[in-house]
Amino acid sequence: MIERKDVEHVARLTRLALSDAELERMREQLNSILAHLDTLRAVPTEGVEPTSHAVDVVNVMRDDTEGQCLSQADALANAPDPRGDLFRVPRIIEE
Amino acid sequence: MSAAAPKYETVIGLEVHAQLLTRSKMFCGCPTTFGARPNTQTCPVCLGMPGSLPVVNRRAVEFGIRTALAFGCRINDACRFARKHYYYPDMPKNYQISQYEEPLAENGALEIEAEGGTRTIGIQRLHLEEDVGKLLHEGTLETAQASLVDFNRSGVPLMETVSRPELRSPEEAATYLKAFRAVLIFLGVCDGNMEEGSLRCDANISIRPHGSTTLGTKVEIKNLNSFRNVQRALEFEERRQAQALDAGERIVQETRLWEADRGYTRSMRSKEFAHDYRYFPEPDLVPLQIDRRWVEEIKGSLPELPRAWRRRAVAQYGLPPYDAEVLTQSRALVDYYEAALHEWSPAAGAGAERPKILSNWIMSELLRVLPGDDERAIGASPIPPARLVGLLQLIENATISGKIAKDVFQKMFDTGDDARTIVERDGLTQVADEGALGQVIESVMAANPKAIEDYRRGKKEAKGALVGQVMKATRGKANPALVNRLLEDKLSQT
Amino acid sequence: MTHRPIHELTDAYRRGDLTPTAAAEDYLARIGALDGKIGAYLTVVRDQALAAARESEARWSAGSPRGPLDGAPIAVKDVLCTAGVRTTCGSKMLERFVPPYDATTVERLRAAGAVILGKTNLDEFAMGSSTEHSAYHPTRNPWDLTRVPGGSSGGSAAAVAGGLAAGAYGSDTGGSIRQPAAFCGVVGMKPTYGRVSRYGLIALASSLDQIGPFAQDVTDAAHLLAAVAGHDPHDATSIEAPVPDYAAELPKGVAGLTLGMPDEYFPDGMDPEVERAVRAAIDVLKGLGAKIERVSLPTTPHALAAYYVILPAEASSNLARYDGVKYGLRVAGRDLIDMESRTRSAGFGAEVKRRIMLGTYVLSAGYYDAYYGKAQSVRTLVRREFAAAFAKVDLIVAPTTPNVPFKHGEKQDPLSMYLNDVFTIPGNLSGIPGVSVPCGFSAAGLPIGLQVLGRPLDEARVLRAAYAYEQATSWRSRRPELT
């Protein structure tokens, strides 16, 4: 069972600002979904390796050669607040 | 001796991040060169643009393996990358691709010289990850209304090593870092430049009552950008924690920032709300199964490391430990020394004093004009090893005096010419003609009767004054040993 | 004149009966006339399309077309990056995002001479099964405008069904190509995971996403797949195996092949019309010489739950980057955290937020093993069961969806929406290839799809069976009435 404070904690972790109404609705919906997901508990998986990679491939690496960079203009073209050469962001307050 | 009150002992662990000297970034082909105009070395991958995907740089893995071997780590058969999630504007994806449960290597060690002898400091793990961008603040971090981000550094390969908490003093921590850095430089995997940030260090420090076996609460210290600051910050922290415990306070587990200008650490954020990094295996990358043959190949190409070379230099060449320490500032300097020595003494047993003469000349003359820890500068020295040897041979066979040789050295450095050319061109050949010298000596003696009188009355220094006069008269080119002998003879004859 | 499969268009180009420019003009006109009702497109690139068409025409005139897609008027789901053309992912978060690069798939299409008409609508960030969750507008099913086209690639499916593109591309993470293909009466294929490069595909769930084609018939699907399949050094999960000539393999038929019918894909309570149509289709295949066998995939009922742990987890991670710092929407805030929170809250719709929250929760400290670890182990069971089945049979045949297209607004509850994908999700969890091919209509005239699943990298056999069925029937000649 997810409680209201769990929902608030998760929202903070993932940078979502939810209103009280949204938090409550989210809590209900997540609980009903999680109840369904809890059915996984019943599946016997002793000794079954988790799939962490979808292809049976290993050792894909690239050579240490230089490739094509974006121009500075292209890099900054979508920036919400470009300043000269840089991306500008509002002040950072430590949590 | 720990700076803390004697009733406590200090426990320190160091986490070192080293930028690897690859041409391109960890997961994309952007260049890694330092100092480029901001945001000119980026691409969709290292900017974390929608749809971009990472691909592992093989040379970064090679450098990781090389370093792991140098520290005697066990290279894991398989390793994986993992996503480490947290929000910060210098991290484009808001997760960092790092390694978590299956790092590249584990369980190594580094030997350091500490008080009371050699100590072995354990290295817990070594793994690869990507660096983050650079943040600039409009003002200081506390007062800025905004910050600015440069993503050139985002994606540069980083190698993180974590030592075991086995360092016992701030001084030891600084020594560990110096030795660690020297190994990385010798391996050619990192340039060790702490000012530019290619080598960074965080420390974890706790104190506990003497004799206690449980660890105290550890505090993480960040922003340590030089050996001196590592030591100073940890000394401050030792004192702070001791004072707190003495006053009956509890140490808070937190991250503190070292303020070098102010000489104290200040609280950054409480680690009690530890980051929930939500690690899971990176699905965009496949596991690496490290081929043992590759590891053997890399092992075979490892250079002799600083400590091993120093031991050998002392034993085999008879060098004092101090000299060996100075010479191992960089691999290029060791290579320089070895090349010169082998040029001069290809046969063993010839000239037992040559290793020390060479070492003296490098320490006092070469390192006067070139920075010993600059691989490139030493490697590109205007006086290559063979030329230095050429100069030393001229002293050895008495063609020039040691004093003149120093001038010749400077001229070699400035002009790029070899010693013989300069000596001949400038007429610096030592005067060793007994007859000619004898005449000079007689005229000097005739001009300095008081000095001779003083000498006769027992003032030995007077002889030195006469020698000085002879050297002046010959513009320094007289062979000093010969002058001494001839003068001695003449003085004893009268 | 132009609402014909791509291979017939190129035949006409070859004969000189039709030019790529005329075809492109015709499609653009149809889009102009009809897309107001259907809502398949988010962005139409008229000038670019005509420029590409003219270049294609020059090649056809010179007798040197680049291949089977040269001059083909196609649409691309707005989840694939197109350089210089805004790519929104159906979200306000990327409303003005213009990628500086092409996805590898798009690069290959341009190299093949295809004429890209525009970017199609989707459920926001590819999360959904109805294309009702786009931040812009819903897409309507050309067969019945009051009903959904399926999702998340509803725009691409509707475009092909409605004659607004001759072919299209979508992405399939849990059925987002196959399900809308079934709902819209077109062919839709999800290749083996790793067969098509994901570079430039805006990620939803990295271990599940694949790009694939929508087509009017199986021949087109074969060409559309071949043009984009194959290894890409930019994608570390892309497979190196060579790409077969899928089209050449098509006529080989199904005689001698064994087809498996999984018990679990014909559950009680599924729509009887769907069941009837699919069983009839399997009978047709039997009549063509295939042997039919029962197989069992017992973990099937748990695949949905496993998927709805894995997908949100990976999606929450992939969507962490949308924070108003480097690109996309920014809503002003008093400090960085405030800005990021406001931006993400304004930029993401309800379904996206829900899945991000769910994903963050299942990855968070203390819950990883119980949810994510567990789900990935269940996933291994699903893969093993398919592998065991494929030791007995060559292909698996089943319904694509448990239902026919439902009405807009009918499925409000998230869980009931998730149930649309029960038959397609296991294929994604296992990474195996699958196609949906039209196999009939409900009494109300709503399309029904037959799904064929195959072994990893066995697209050729999958398409061959679909082709055999298609050629023995004539569902593809029926078209929705649109004015």
Side-chain angles (χ1 to χ4, degrees):
Chain A
M1 269 295 285
I2 292 198
E3 319 240 325
R4 167 71 171 242
K5 64 171 168 57
D6 299 319
V7 182
E8 285 170 355
H9 176 65
V10 171
R12 226 186 346 260
L13 275 180
T14 193
R15 296 289 194 264
L16 283 175
L18 301 174
S19 68
D20 279 344
E22 283 174 306
L23 281 167
E24 187 44 39
R25 192 167 44 241
M26 190 67 78
R27 189 191 65 81
E28 279 168 16
Q29 287 174 340
L30 289 180
N31 270 319
S32 96
I33 296 171
L34 283 168
H36 176 62
L37 302 184
D38 281 339
T39 60
L40 286 175
R41 265 186 243 276
V43 184
T45 52
E46 233 111 85
V48 180
E49 278 295 298
T51 300
S52 50
H53 298 276
V55 279
D56 281 324
V57 171
V58 293
N59 290 343
V60 176
M61 290 184 276
R62 40 171 273 272
D63 292 336
D64 186 28
T65 49
E66 282 181 31
Q68 191 76 332
C69 280
L70 289 176
S71 68
Q72 193 197 64
D74 279 346
L76 292 169
N78 284 291
D81 188 6
R83 287 295 167 103
D85 295 334
L86 300 149
F87 295 82
R88 191 164 179 269
V89 297
R91 65 193 182 130
I92 301 165
I93 298 185
E94 295 295 335
E95 287 180 90
Chain B
M1 257 285 239
S2 156
K7 63 194 229 205
Y8 300 113
E9 62 185 31
T10 303
V11 175
I12 295 170
L14 286 188
E15 229 175 76
V16 182
H17 287 86
Q19 277 184 349
L20 297 177
L21 286 171
T22 53
R23 274 191 281 275
S24 62
K25 292 186 178 179
M26 186 75 220
F27 298 117
C28 66
C30 290
T32 55
T33 34
F34 181 82
R37 195 143 166 228
N39 293 307
T40 55
Q41 289 176 181
T42 66
C43 74
V45 179
C46 55
L47 278 177
M49 284 195 155
S52 62
L53 293 173
V55 185
V56 174
N57 181 334
R58 184 181 301 108
R59 198 187 304 271
V61 180
E62 181 200 317
F63 282 6
I65 294 172
R66 204 193 286 190
T67 310
L69 288 171
F71 289 128
C73 298
R74 194 199 126 57
I75 315 266
N76 285 326
D77 290 326
C79 72
R80 249 200 257 270
F81 288 90
R83 293 189 182 179
K84 178 181 181 182
H85 300 84
Y86 63 96
Y87 271 85
Y88 212 63
D90 59 6
M91 238 186 18
K93 300 183 291 294
N94 288 316
Y95 61 83
Q96 180 193 34
I97 302 179
S98 178
Q99 294 188 299
Y100 181 52
E101 284 177 330
E102 291 169 74
L104 180 62
E106 295 174 282
N107 294 327
L110 174 62
E111 285 186 329
I112 58 170
E113 304 305 327
E115 248 181 69
T118 306
R119 292 202 61 223
T120 302
I121 308 297
I123 290 175
Q124 196 158 356
R125 55 181 277 148
L126 180 151
H127 74 248
L128 297 172
E129 59 187 26
E130 54 180 345
D131 207 346
V132 300
K134 233 195 207 113
L135 270 179
L136 302 136
H137 308 295
E138 291 179 355
T140 65
L141 178 56
E142 297 83 56
T143 62
Q145 282 309 297
S147 297
L148 302 155
V149 197
D150 171 14
F151 289 107
N152 280 355
R153 198 179 66 178
S154 162
V156 168
L158 277 187
M159 181 175 63
E160 178 178 325
T161 56
V162 181
S163 83
R164 294 191 189 282
E166 292 171 355
L167 294 162
R168 291 180 314 200
S169 73
E171 191 181 349
E172 235 174 59
T175 305
Y176 172 92
L177 187 60
K178 277 188 201 137
F180 188 93
R181 174 180 174 277
V183 171
L184 295 190
I185 290 173
F186 261 64
L187 293 173
V189 304
C190 177
D191 68 15
N193 190 327
M194 292 184 78
E195 293 80 48
E196 284 177 6
S198 37
L199 190 74
R200 290 168 237 158
C201 178
D202 298 329
N204 284 299
I205 176 171
S206 66
I207 63 175
R208 62 185 173 191
H210 253 297
S212 164
T213 48
T214 50
L215 289 171
T217 306
K218 74 176 177 189
V219 173
E220 184 187 21
I221 313 291
K222 288 178 108 67
N223 199 26
L224 306 169
N225 62 1
S226 69
F227 305 128
R228 196 166 113 76
N229 277 323
V230 167
Q231 190 165 341
R232 285 176 67 210
L234 290 171
E235 282 166 352
F236 172 85
E237 193 50 30
E238 249 184 344
R239 279 196 302 277
R240 187 190 74 85
Q241 291 189 16
Q243 276 164 18
L245 288 183
D246 284 344
E249 288 162 23
R250 189 177 73 93
I251 305 292
V252 174
Q253 184 178 4
E254 59 179 345
T255 301
R256 297 178 73 89
L257 213 58
W258 169 245
E259 298 274 11
D261 299 335
R262 320 225 186 126
Y264 59 66
T265 63
R266 67 168 176 84
S267 183
M268 219 181 128
R269 56 176 175 256
S270 182
K271 224 172 182 181
E272 300 201 62
F273 298 111
H275 279 293
D276 184 353
Y277 291 123
R278 305 188 295 290
Y279 285 102
F280 71 95
E282 171 57 80
D284 289 331
L285 294 174
V286 298
L288 299 182
Q289 266 165 17
I290 308 293
D291 181 26
R292 292 291 126 187
R293 273 167 312 177
W294 191 26
V295 174
E296 286 310 308
E297 236 174 77
I298 295 172
K299 201 175 210 167
S301 75
L302 283 181
E304 193 177 16
L305 291 175
R307 271 189 116 245
W309 190 86
R310 286 196 291 270
R311 263 199 300 268
R312 188 166 65 79
V314 167
Q316 203 181 320
Y317 303 148
L319 283 182
Y322 175 79
D323 292 34
E325 183 81 38
V326 173
L327 291 172
T328 49
Q329 280 177 79
S330 66
R331 187 155 145 207
L333 194 56
V334 163
D335 289 346
Y336 188 101
Y337 180 85
E338 291 275 15
L341 190 62
H342 286 99
E343 174 77 22
W344 203 3
S345 284
E353 66 294 331
R354 284 178 184 169
K356 182 67 173 113
I357 293 173
L358 183 59
S359 167
N360 287 345
W361 269 84
I362 289 176
M363 290 196 300
S364 65
E365 295 305 310
L366 189 70
L367 295 187
R368 186 175 50 77
V369 291
L370 289 176
D373 60 356
D374 188 331
E375 297 280 336
R376 209 168 325 188
I378 300 292
S381 168
I383 305 177
R387 287 266 172 99
L388 178 60
V389 170
L391 177 65
L392 297 178
Q393 282 168 334
L394 291 183
I395 304 174
E396 203 171 46
N397 65 25
T399 304
I400 54 173
S401 67
K403 192 162 180 304
I404 293 281
K406 293 200 174 166
D407 295 337
V408 177
F409 181 92
Q410 189 61 51
K411 287 180 184 175
M412 286 168 74
F413 187 81
D414 295 334
T415 65
D417 291 329
D418 68 280
R420 187 164 287 282
T421 303
I422 292 171
V423 164
E424 278 167 18
R425 185 177 62 214
D426 295 358
L428 297 172
T429 307
Q430 202 163 231
V431 177
D433 179 323
E434 288 203 19
L437 268 183
Q439 285 178 348
V440 175
I441 288 171
E442 269 161 28
S443 52
V444 165
M445 283 173 74
N448 291 277
K450 184 161 190 311
I452 298 172
E453 194 56 45
D454 289 342
Y455 180 77
R456 293 251 171 69
R457 273 196 262 114
K459 275 199 176 167
K460 298 293 175 194
E461 319 81 75
K463 175 163 158 239
L466 290 169
V467 171
Q469 291 289 323
V470 174
M471 295 306 287
K472 198 162 143 204
T474 59
R475 291 199 307 286
K477 288 192 283 181
N479 181 321
L482 191 55
V483 168
N484 260 289
R485 183 167 63 74
L486 292 176
L487 189 56
E488 190 77 41
D489 288 347
K490 294 205 190 287
L491 283 170
S492 63
Q493 277 165 25
T494 51
Chain C
M1 151 180 79
T2 49
H3 197 190
R4 294 181 269 171
I6 293 168
H7 61 93
E8 289 184 23
L9 289 177
T10 51
D11 283 344
Y13 298 158
R14 187 175 298 110
R15 288 192 306 268
D17 297 343
L18 181 65
T19 64
T21 319
E25 292 273 19
D26 190 58
Y27 273 100
L28 290 165
R30 281 180 68 88
I31 292 169
L34 295 167
D35 201 39
K37 290 187 209 169
I38 296 174
Y41 282 88
L42 287 172
T43 303
V44 177
V45 286
R46 182 187 175 79
D47 292 343
Q48 278 189 31
L50 290 173
R54 279 191 290 271
E55 287 173 21
S56 170
E57 191 164 320
R59 289 190 292 269
W60 279 104
S61 302
S64 52
R66 288 189 184 155
L69 294 190
D70 203 330
I74 58 160
V76 167
K77 182 180 183 182
D78 206 15
V79 75
L80 279 162
C81 286
T82 41
V85 175
R86 76 163 190 167
T87 301
T88 68
C89 243
S91 178
K92 287 294 186 201
M93 186 63 88
L94 294 178
E95 187 169 11
R96 278 187 273 277
F97 174 65
V98 179
Y101 76 108
D102 273 334
T104 299
T105 289
V106 173
E107 235 175 55
R108 290 179 181 181
L109 287 172
R110 296 199 208 276
V115 173
I116 299 176
L117 298 167
K119 311 298 289 298
T120 57
N121 200 18
L122 63 154
D123 284 300
E124 187 181 358
F125 280 106
M127 298 188 198
S129 311
S130 64
T131 316
E132 292 175 288
H133 294 306
S134 166
Y136 297 96
H137 55 253
T139 301
R140 302 184 176 285
N141 193 320
W143 294 92
D144 178 339
L145 298 174
T146 67
R147 293 175 186 266
V148 303
S152 61
S153 315
S156 282
V160 175
L164 304 182
Y169 287 87
S171 65
D172 189 314
T173 305
S176 291
I177 290 176
R178 290 162 289 159
Q179 184 252 17
F183 273 19
C184 288
V186 297
V187 177
M189 177 164 214
K190 180 198 88 67
T192 308
Y193 181 88
R195 179 77 285 187
V196 177
S197 167
R198 290 182 301 117
Y199 187 72
L201 170 66
I202 298 180
L204 168 59
S206 312
S207 75
L208 299 167
D209 293 342
Q210 266 295 283
I211 297 167
F214 287 95
Q216 296 173 57
D217 64 18
V218 178
T219 303
D220 273 1
H223 290 310
L224 288 165
L225 178 62
V228 300
H231 181 250
D232 179 14
H234 282 115
D235 178 354
T237 61
S238 78
I239 298 175
E240 287 203 18
V243 180
D245 184 349
Y246 299 123
E249 304 263 319
L250 292 177
K252 286 188 179 165
V254 293
L257 292 183
T258 307
L259 312 180
M261 273 178 75
D263 294 335
E264 296 80 5
Y265 284 57
F266 294 87
D268 297 330
M270 78 179 286
D271 187 321
E273 292 190 279
V274 172
E275 184 167 358
R276 202 165 31 245
V278 171
R279 284 188 185 276
I282 296 172
D283 282 341
V284 169
L285 285 165
K286 192 167 167 192
L288 291 170
K291 188 160 157 269
I292 313 295
E293 256 186 49
R294 275 177 68 183
V295 292
S296 178
L297 302 167
T299 308
T300 303
H302 299 287
L304 191 77
Y307 175 83
Y308 276 104
V309 169
I310 296 166
L311 178 130
E314 293 185 7
S316 71
S317 175
N318 287 324
L319 269 59
R321 66 191 66 197
Y322 303 107
D323 59 4
V325 170
K326 316 150 293 275
Y327 43 74
L329 180 71
R330 178 187 286 196
V331 174
R334 52 180 186 272
D335 55 57
L336 179 73
I337 294 178
D338 188 46
M339 181 279 278
E340 288 175 339
S341 307
R342 285 172 190 267
T343 297
R344 288 166 67 77
S345 304
F348 292 138
E351 181 61 36
V352 172
K353 282 187 211 172
R354 198 164 23 242
R355 296 201 197 186
I356 288 175
M357 291 287 289
L358 186 57
T360 306
Y361 181 77
V362 303
L363 285 175
S364 67
Y367 298 107
Y368 182 95
D369 289 329
Y371 287 107
Y372 191 76
K374 184 76 180 179
Q376 292 284 33
S377 292
V378 171
R379 180 177 183 175
T380 303
L381 289 178
V382 172
R383 293 176 85 182
R384 284 187 190 171
E385 283 172 11
F386 272 113
F390 284 125
K392 290 172 43 183
V393 304
D394 298 304
L395 298 166
I396 287 172
V397 286
T400 306
T401 62
N403 48 8
V404 291
F406 45 90
K407 287 202 179 281
H408 279 107
E410 188 180 316
K411 295 198 187 281
Q412 301 283 14
D413 171 43
L415 265 176
S416 77
M417 186 66 84
Y418 299 164
L419 288 167
N420 282 300
D421 297 324
V422 276
F423 299 144
T424 47
I425 276 171
N428 297 88
L429 290 176
S430 316
I432 60 177
V435 73
S436 179
V437 65
C439 71
F441 292 84
S442 71
L446 302 171
I448 296 168
L450 168 75
Q451 185 176 202
V452 182
L453 295 162
R455 298 183 182 98
L457 292 177
D458 207 9
E459 284 81 359
R461 206 174 260 125
V462 168
L463 289 168
R464 178 177 141 186
Y467 180 80
Y469 173 74
E470 171 193 82
Q471 295 295 307
T473 57
S474 51
W475 303 117
R476 66 197 178 286
S477 59
R478 196 161 142 180
R479 296 204 183 282
E481 282 160 31
L482 285 166
T483 40

